[in-house]
Amino acid sequence: MKFKKLMLSDWRQFNKIEMEFHPRITIITGANGAGKSTILKILSQHFGWSYSLLSTPRLSSTGEKKFFTGMLNFLRRTQKEQNTNIAGTLEYDNSVIANLVIPESHGAVYNVQISNQQQLLGVHIQSHRQVQNYRAVENIPVNPMTAEQAYNIYFSESMNRYQGHHSQFSALYRMKEAIISMATFGAGNQYVQKNTKLEKLFLDFKEILSKVLPPSVGFLDISIRIPDVVIVTETGEFMIDAASGGVMSLIDVAWQIFLYSHDKEEFIVTIDEPENHLHPSMQRSILRRLSNAFPKAQFIVATHSPFVVSSVKDSLVYVLQYEQSEEDTEVLINRRISSICLNTNDKAATANEILREVLGVPVTLPEWAEEELDRITQSFNNKDINKETLKELREQLNGAGLGEYYPEALKAIIE
């Protein structure tokens, strides 16, 4: 079973959100504070994550402090007869529709309740990748570690840290422990019986890495050199603990999805900001590589990256954008968020075009360059446009290192 459709309205910053989820890849983008992570928090509740939301304290006319969850439909003068605590609906591909309910009695912290929630198989990957510190693997589990056991241990460590607790082991330590266990007991030797299932797991993960890691990494092999795991590439060898932030991020994402997907026909992957730690060239290819490596998964990702937005043609891309509010409410709300679905032409745009038109970045120049360009063009405002002034404009732009922006400068002067 997969997600089919999400609708949200009159709650928090949302005016009207309508999303049809693509069977393979759905991308959600927008400015900070637009609500991308909030949507993923609702979806990831199906996968064992219980994210809490915070309400806003307000004082009533009598001086009593109350907490406001952001529900706006009960404030609308023309709709007081409506149910006041339903923020939206979530539809599954079995046609079941679940209500997203905001609790009426709550304090500063509350959770969205999913009424009629269906059981889905899936994994959620947070936006903040965990900081890893080196620690040699001290013990190899005597009992061979299956994919399910390895995932549960990894998930437990991740959840432990998310909740603010700490154990003596990191998630990376648990990854190394599982890889060494699979390689040791899988291959076996003249004294240890071979386990073909574990060997296949180890070999399959190497195959997944070859699909997920970009060619520039030159991945060749995983070498077990107890107590360490070494990544072998065309340019050299390094311990997995020494991988760069971007490479480690890809290995971490691949490991989680690989373990969870074992023996599953269909499953869902939600990822918050997959571009974190990645070079733009990696951002440009990450979703295509993940979808090729895991063809049975439905991916739903939230991103700020124009490279991720345009990375896959066969996908649905939704932009959460601010718009001026014209609703008749008893509180002043100037700007609200609605969703729009991009067409193919929008997805095929350049990174600069996506930044301007989709993500709402008015210019893609560095701030210092924008200020210098503005200063130069302002100095030409009261001058006649002729051969000499155009020559002077070019000279000033070249002197400031902005010669390539001559068309933009000329347009600004004329306008």
Side-chain angles (χ1 to χ4, degrees):
M1 194 185 304
K2 297 179 179 180
F3 294 119
K4 182 179 180 181
K5 187 175 183 179
L6 173 72
M7 298 183 69
L8 293 169
S9 63
D10 300 320
W11 173 56
R12 292 164 70 92
Q13 69 270 56
F14 301 122
N15 178 33
K16 189 174 184 181
I17 303 296
E18 291 188 7
M19 291 184 182
E20 294 268 0
F21 294 109
H22 192 279
R24 293 287 285 116
I25 298 176
T26 303
I27 301 169
I28 307 170
T29 190
N32 283 333
K36 303 182 298 296
S37 295
T38 299
I39 291 173
L40 288 195
K41 286 177 179 179
I42 292 172
L43 302 180
S44 63
Q45 287 184 209
H46 295 74
F47 314 137
W49 292 87
S50 180
Y51 285 105
S52 297
L53 300 176
L54 298 179
S55 52
T56 304
R58 288 181 177 174
L59 292 179
S60 67
S61 57
T62 61
E64 179 186 3
K65 184 169 75 171
K66 294 185 177 181
F67 291 95
F68 178 56
T69 61
M71 288 296 297
L72 298 176
N73 56 356
F74 77 92
L75 294 171
R76 203 178 304 283
R77 296 188 181 102
T78 59
Q79 296 183 2
K80 285 194 174 182
E81 71 279 6
Q82 291 189 2
N83 193 329
T84 61
N85 65 336
I86 295 180
T89 58
L90 180 60
E91 184 176 351
Y92 306 92
D93 66 0
N94 65 349
S95 299
V96 171
I97 298 177
N99 288 327
L100 305 177
V101 182
I102 308 302
E104 295 182 354
S105 178
H106 58 84
V109 180
Y110 69 97
N111 294 85
V112 177
Q113 299 167 0
I114 305 176
S115 175
N116 204 21
Q117 177 176 326
Q118 300 296 289
Q119 184 175 359
L120 301 181
L121 299 175
V123 56
H124 174 65
I125 298 172
Q126 301 182 83
S127 62
H128 299 291
R129 311 292 181 254
Q130 299 182 27
V131 177
Q132 311 292 357
N133 295 314
Y134 174 75
R135 180 173 179 174
V137 175
E138 300 164 356
N139 300 292
I140 302 174
V142 175
N143 294 319
M145 194 177 297
T146 65
E148 184 178 6
Q149 290 169 334
Y151 176 78
N152 289 336
I153 292 172
Y154 191 95
F155 178 80
S156 178
E157 288 292 348
S158 299
M159 183 63 71
N160 195 37
R161 300 216 168 194
Y162 165 72
Q163 295 172 342
H165 308 303
H166 296 279
S167 72
Q168 57 180 320
F169 302 110
S170 67
L172 176 58
Y173 180 93
R174 295 304 193 186
M175 181 195 298
K176 294 193 298 181
E177 185 181 58
I179 290 175
I180 293 175
S181 173
M182 291 173 184
T184 302
F185 291 105
N189 55 45
Q190 59 180 326
Y191 304 111
V192 179
Q193 184 176 358
K194 180 175 181 176
N195 186 317
T196 55
K197 289 185 178 179
L198 288 185
E199 183 181 37
K200 186 176 186 304
L201 271 179
F202 178 70
L203 296 176
D204 285 349
F205 181 58
K206 291 201 296 184
E207 178 65 21
I208 288 294
L209 284 187
S210 69
K211 294 179 179 179
V212 172
L213 294 177
S216 58
V217 174
F219 172 77
L220 296 175
D221 200 3
I222 299 176
S223 177
I224 306 303
R225 302 173 190 178
I226 296 175
D228 297 307
V229 176
V230 173
I231 303 297
V232 181
T233 73
E234 293 174 355
T235 57
E237 303 176 347
F238 54 86
M239 287 199 297
I240 195 171
D241 314 69
S244 68
V247 171
M248 191 63 237
S249 177
L250 292 176
I251 293 174
D252 176 61
V253 170
W255 177 248
Q256 293 183 66
I257 303 175
F258 167 73
L259 292 180
Y260 187 84
S261 66
H262 186 66
D263 289 339
K264 291 181 175 64
E265 280 302 312
E266 286 187 336
F267 60 99
I268 302 166
V269 180
T270 56
I271 311 178
D272 199 0
E273 298 179 351
E275 68 270 18
N276 280 357
H277 306 294
L278 300 185
H279 184 274
S281 63
M282 292 185 181
Q283 295 178 27
R284 189 166 168 260
S285 64
I286 180 173
L287 286 188
R288 182 171 54 84
R289 292 187 177 281
L290 285 175
S291 63
N292 289 338
F294 303 101
K296 298 178 182 178
Q298 178 188 41
F299 287 91
I300 303 173
V301 305
T303 181
H304 293 119
S305 170
F307 299 103
V308 175
V309 168
S310 59
S311 60
V312 181
K313 181 180 180 181
D314 187 19
S315 64
L316 287 175
V317 178
Y318 290 93
V319 181
L320 305 185
Q321 63 177 14
Y322 286 97
E323 58 184 22
Q324 222 38 45
S325 176
E326 299 178 356
E327 303 291 352
D328 182 21
T329 66
E330 296 172 3
V331 293
L332 181 62
I333 302 171
N334 291 326
R335 302 175 73 208
R336 306 279 303 283
I337 294 290
S338 292
S339 61
I340 61 170
C341 185
L342 295 190
N343 58 38
T344 303
N345 291 334
D346 292 323
K347 289 191 291 183
T350 66
N352 281 348
E353 290 169 339
I354 291 173
L355 282 170
R356 286 195 299 267
E357 305 299 328
V358 176
L359 298 180
V361 180
V363 293
T364 53
L365 287 171
E367 284 189 356
W368 66 266
E370 180 188 2
E371 292 169 358
E372 188 70 8
L373 188 64
D374 185 60
R375 182 191 65 77
I376 293 173
T377 56
Q378 289 291 337
S379 68
F380 284 82
N381 278 352
N382 296 320
K383 296 182 179 181
D384 293 332
I385 303 298
N386 53 46
K387 184 177 180 180
E388 293 302 318
T389 54
L390 293 179
K391 179 180 178 181
E392 183 184 353
L393 175 62
R394 280 192 181 276
E395 289 175 350
Q396 289 197 31
L397 290 172
N398 289 333
L402 300 172
E404 63 183 294
Y405 296 104
Y406 175 78
E408 288 84 351
L410 184 59
K411 179 182 177 182
I413 292 171
I414 293 174
E415 290 179 346

